Amino acid sequence: MGQVMQCHIFETNAGFCGIAWNGMGITLFQLPTRSAAATERLLRRRAPDAEPGVPPSDVVEAIATVRRYFEGEETDFSAFRLDLGEQDAFFRQIYAAARQVKWGQTTTYGALAKELGAGPETARDVGQAMARNPVALIIPCHRVLAAGGKVGGFSAPGGSNAKIRMLALEGVHVGPPPPAQQSLGF
């Protein structure tokens, strides 16, 4: 990479997020935690050399978009420049495909693998890429589900529950369908 990395912690309706960038683009994003200290600790674990900095205009816009997202406003992160230079080339392909999954839509690990021209056995690789996503939300790994529309894993704070909450913000319900017959209440 060779670029100086800077970082910034900011508050949203869902908690404190962190973002890191260099001259090439956004390098890391930390999903919300309950405190600025917890977010900084998680961000530092992934980028120990990042220096606190004043975000440039494109990162300021990304931060504003993250805040709007957690307010429930439809957002699109696909235009933000990312620096995924240290990622495996196949993972970068997976991330590019995942960035095309829009607000309120979902796909599966297997469908993403198929979209890339790979067989169903590659679904595990897609899952690994999602688990190692350095910029969760900006690359919307929360929109990638397991087979049959099951939630699957989520390595962010709050695990699968955080994924379910994020999808709910977008109007997507995952999990078992509501019962067909309601209680009669007597």
Side-chain angles (χ1 to χ4, degrees):
M1 191 153 67
Q3 298 271 337
V4 174
M5 190 182 310
Q6 294 185 296
C7 63
H8 181 72
I9 308 297
F10 60 97
E11 193 169 9
T12 72
N13 281 351
F16 291 87
C17 293
I19 193 165
W21 67 91
N22 62 27
M24 302 287 289
I26 297 168
T27 57
L28 293 171
F29 180 75
Q30 178 59 54
L31 286 166
T33 68
R34 293 182 185 194
S35 72
T39 295
E40 183 172 2
R41 189 173 47 256
L42 290 169
L43 196 62
R44 291 254 173 242
R45 193 177 296 159
R46 296 165 57 201
D49 297 331
E51 295 289 329
V54 176
S57 60
D58 57 334
V59 176
V60 168
E61 181 55 34
I63 290 169
T65 305
V66 168
R67 285 185 171 131
R68 287 193 309 270
Y69 176 88
F70 285 111
E71 289 169 359
E73 184 180 320
E74 184 172 340
T75 56
D76 179 4
F77 294 96
S78 64
F80 291 107
R81 285 184 313 122
L82 305 177
D83 179 5
L84 303 175
E86 293 185 357
Q87 294 291 320
D88 172 270
F90 186 58
F91 277 21
R92 286 196 307 267
Q93 286 180 306
I94 293 169
Y95 294 145
R99 285 187 93 182
Q100 302 310 307
V101 182
K102 302 297 182 201
W103 172 276
Q105 298 176 350
T106 60
T107 189
T108 63
Y109 302 123
L112 216 50
K114 185 176 181 182
E115 183 179 322
L116 294 170
E121 68 281 356
T122 307
R124 287 182 190 264
D125 294 327
V126 171
Q128 287 294 316
M130 296 300 106
R132 295 180 186 160
N133 179 0
V135 288
L137 180 60
I138 297 170
I139 295 174
C141 55
H142 65 285
R143 296 177 185 150
V144 184
L145 305 174
K150 294 179 182 148
V151 174
F154 199 55
S155 57
S160 297
N161 288 331
K163 186 173 186 173
I164 290 167
R165 282 191 304 273
M166 290 170 70
L167 289 169
L169 275 175
E170 299 181 29
V172 175
H173 173 77
V174 290
Q181 183 174 348
Q182 300 298 318
S183 169
L184 297 175
F186 26 104

